[in-house]
Amino acid sequence: MSKELSENQLSYIGHLQLDRLLSCLQPLSTHPEEHIFITTHHSLEIWFKQLLFDLKRIIAHCDADELGQVNWLLKRVAEILRLAEAHWTVLETMSAADFLEFRGRLTGASGLQSRQFRELEVLCGLHEIAGEEYGRRVEDAWPGMIAGTPRTLRAAFFGVIARSGHRPEDIYRNRWRQFDLFTLLEGVFELDRRVAAWRQSHILMVRRQIGMRTRGTGGMVGQDYLAATTRQLFFPELWELRHDMSADAGGEVVAAGEPKK
Ligand code: HEM
């Protein structure tokens, strides 16, 4: 039995606005499996919101060279992304046969229209490296999104590195003496790696549910569009650095695009 609340006390339902939040689950069909489909989307959108919130804090802490806070929050970001990826195996308990019984009701609704997912990419600075075509697509879908994001994680991260006076390769070499900078490098790399894993697992889930050659409700064909997005990295420099480190350690690194023998 819960105790009575006095007039100036908040209730659980009131603080969390649960009536509003939970009333958002409105299936279009009578198919019982549409419930988990909507729940998965809602859950991921709520986590996207938290990621955007924390990434903005991380950017501000980077600009103030507060690496303790940056590295602490990057740990949380990595944990949330790990959790985000786990959503795909939950959704896969909805069989393809069940999904295809209500998929037609979705008409044009697609994750492609997730504003928060695109904001995440832009806040990390993808438009700064992914080429003009990417920037045009974002601007067509969300006019003003790029201009409304004056400071990105990429810019803030490279700002910290430049002010430190150390190159990433030297930070790796001197990692125990420059532990905060090393942790920062690994923290942003981990973010990149986990978003890449989220994209890959989304693709596997899509393959399972509709196949990769079926046109999506957003109009794209998975094998062309989704497969291409797996090449989008926020910190390609840090991935590339692995080649330099391998070569320095005596490993043979083939040139990009060179056929393997
Ligand atoms: C049965 C479940 C799902 C299927 C079959 C599916 C399929 C697809 C397909 C085919 C696309 C390419 C665009 C299109 O033509 O629609 C796409 C994009 C996308 N989906 Fe899903 N999806 C599913 C669930 C989800 C869920 C639960 C989320 C969570 C937010 C999500 C987020 C996204 C995002 C963000 C994109 C855009 C990716 C990018 O532009 O890089 N999807 N999805």
Side-chain angles (χ1 to χ4, degrees):
M1 209 40 189
S2 62
K3 80 173 176 64
E4 290 250 319
L5 296 171
S6 66
E7 221 172 79
N8 56 0
Q9 276 185 312
L10 266 180
S11 73
Y12 178 81
I13 293 173
H15 176 219
L16 302 176
Q17 302 211 33
L18 286 182
D19 288 341
R20 286 176 66 202
L21 182 71
L22 299 178
S23 67
C24 293
L25 203 157
Q26 302 276 353
L28 291 165
S29 70
T30 53
H31 200 297
E33 289 297 282
E34 196 186 342
H35 201 285
I36 186 67
F37 181 79
I38 297 177
T39 298
T40 311
H41 281 87
H42 277 167
S43 306
L44 280 166
E45 286 291 343
I46 289 176
W47 285 121
F48 291 165
K49 189 174 168 100
Q50 184 66 40
L51 287 171
L52 286 166
F53 184 77
D54 282 333
L55 282 170
K56 284 175 193 161
R57 295 171 68 198
I58 289 171
I59 291 170
H61 285 306
C62 276
D63 288 342
D65 286 314
E66 291 164 347
L67 295 195
Q69 288 95 322
V70 170
N71 290 333
W72 184 258
L73 287 172
L74 278 172
K75 261 172 61 165
R76 175 186 298 161
V77 163
E79 282 303 316
I80 294 174
L81 287 169
R82 193 174 59 82
L83 188 61
E85 192 192 344
H87 285 62
W88 298 134
T89 51
V90 176
L91 188 55
E92 283 178 8
T93 63
M94 168 186 79
S95 77
D98 279 303
F99 178 49
L100 294 170
E101 282 170 5
F102 67 85
R103 181 175 184 247
R105 302 293 293 269
L106 304 176
T107 62
S110 158
L112 195 63
Q113 295 141 13
S114 167
R115 181 186 173 101
Q116 291 200 109
F117 183 75
R118 209 58 74 212
E119 274 178 347
L120 270 174
E121 288 185 340
V122 167
L123 192 59
C124 287
L126 189 58
H127 58 291
E128 294 165 351
I129 40 164
E132 280 175 24
E133 158 68 17
Y134 172 82
R136 250 196 315 276
R137 265 196 295 116
V138 172
E139 272 307 297
D140 284 351
W142 307 105
M145 183 183 284
I146 290 177
T149 313
R151 193 76 179 148
T152 65
L153 182 65
R154 268 184 68 79
F157 164 78
F158 284 110
V160 172
I161 300 300
R163 285 190 300 281
S164 79
H166 301 290
R167 298 177 311 160
E169 48 270 47
D170 297 330
I171 295 170
Y172 276 120
R173 207 166 292 123
N174 300 319
R175 55 197 172 282
W176 308 125
R177 282 192 297 282
Q178 289 163 353
F179 186 67
D180 283 351
L181 288 169
F182 167 60
T183 309
L184 171 66
L185 284 179
E186 290 293 86
V188 295
F189 186 85
E190 193 59 21
L191 176 153
D192 216 358
R193 188 224 172 281
R194 288 190 193 260
V195 171
W198 186 90
R199 291 187 199 273
Q200 295 281 4
S201 296
H202 174 253
I203 286 183
L204 287 173
M205 183 276 300
V206 171
R207 274 181 98 166
R208 181 178 191 138
Q209 303 297 2
I210 60 169
M212 281 295 270
R213 298 197 311 278
T214 304
R215 194 170 292 286
T217 44
M220 305 296 201
V221 176
Q223 69 175 0
D224 302 328
Y225 178 73
L226 290 176
T229 66
T230 61
R231 287 193 291 276
Q232 294 176 335
L233 296 167
F234 304 133
F235 296 94
E237 299 87 345
L238 297 184
W239 294 78
E240 197 48 41
L241 197 55
R242 269 62 187 168
H243 293 126
D244 301 340
M245 285 158 67
S246 296
D248 286 352
E252 185 194 340
V253 179
V254 299
E258 190 178 295
K260 286 186 228 70
K261 292 199 191 93

